[in-house]
Amino acid sequence: MATGAPSRVSTSLNPSVLLSKVPEVTVLFWVTKVLTTGMGETASDFLVRRIDPFVAVGLGAVAFVVAMALQLRARRYVPWTYWLAVSMVSVFGTMAADVVHIALGVPYVVSTVVFAVVLAAVFVVWYRTEGTLSIHSIRTRRRELFYWLTVLTTFALGTAAGDLTASTMHLGYFASGVLFAVVIAVPAVAHWRLRLNAITAFWFAYIVTRPLGASFADWLGVPPSRRGLDLGTGPVTLTLALVIAVLVGYLTVTHSDTPQEDVLTP
C-alpha cells in the first residue's frame, strides 16, 4: 500500500532535518506490525497477572521510555531500535487502555470513543502544524514526536476496540480477529478501486492492525472459559517475540525495508 511520495530534503543543507526514521512500507512491515500487536497484548496480560499490576505498569512505562529514548537518539532508521520502540508501545499502550477499563471502570465503548477522539485531535494538530501526515515526511524531531504520539494512541484505541468487540459485544477473540481481518482489507480495496488517499488508507490499516493481532493472540493464550485455546499468555508472548526477532534480524541483514533514498547516504 503506497503512503505518499517520500520527502527528499537534503540533510547536508539543514542539520535539523533527519534521515528517515521509519521503514519502507512492505509486506514484512505489516506482518511485523501485526506480530508486535499480538505480543504486546499477551505480554501485558502475562505481566499484570503474574506480578503486582502497579509494578507491571511501572515496568512497562520504564521499558517504553528506554525504547523511545533509543529510537529518538538514532540518526536514521535502524530496524532493531524502531521495532523495539513499536513493541514497547504495544505493551505500554495495552496497559494504558486496560488501566482505563479495569482500574477506573470505564466501559470499553466509552474508552474506544475517547481514544478515537484523542487520535483525531492528534491528526488534526499534526496536519495543521506540519501540513502532512505522510510517514515519508518523518525527517524532523517534531514530526517524529507527532508520529510516535499517533502510534501510541492507535495502540490504545485498538486495544479498547478489540476488547469492545470480543467482550462487550460477546464475539469472542477468534470472531473478533476474523472481523478485523475483513476490516483491514477495506483500505486496500478502497485505495485500489476507489482511489482512496494513500495516507488515509495507511493510517486506517495501521489502526486496525492493533485489534487484529491482539484478538488472535488472546484467542491463542486465554483459557476455554474465555473462548480461547489455552496455550498460555507466557508461551504465546515468547513465541511471538522470537518470530519478531527473526524478522528484525532478516530486515537488518537484507536492508529490504531501509528507505531507498537513504541507502547510499553516509
Side-chain angles (χ1 to χ4, degrees), residues 122-142:
V122 172
F123 277 136
V124 168
V125 174
W126 182 1
Y127 187 78
R128 287 186 175 180
T129 304
E130 301 295 334
T132 180
L133 300 177
S134 172
I135 65 168
H136 294 298
S137 71
I138 312 302
R139 292 179 176 278
T140 67
R141 183 66 67 210
R142 186 166 63 185

Side-chain angles (χ1 to χ4, degrees), residues 101 107-109 160 162-171:
H101 175 72
Y108 285 127
V109 64
D163 287 333
L164 171 66
T165 58
S167 300
T168 305
M169 298 175 64
H170 306 293
L171 293 182

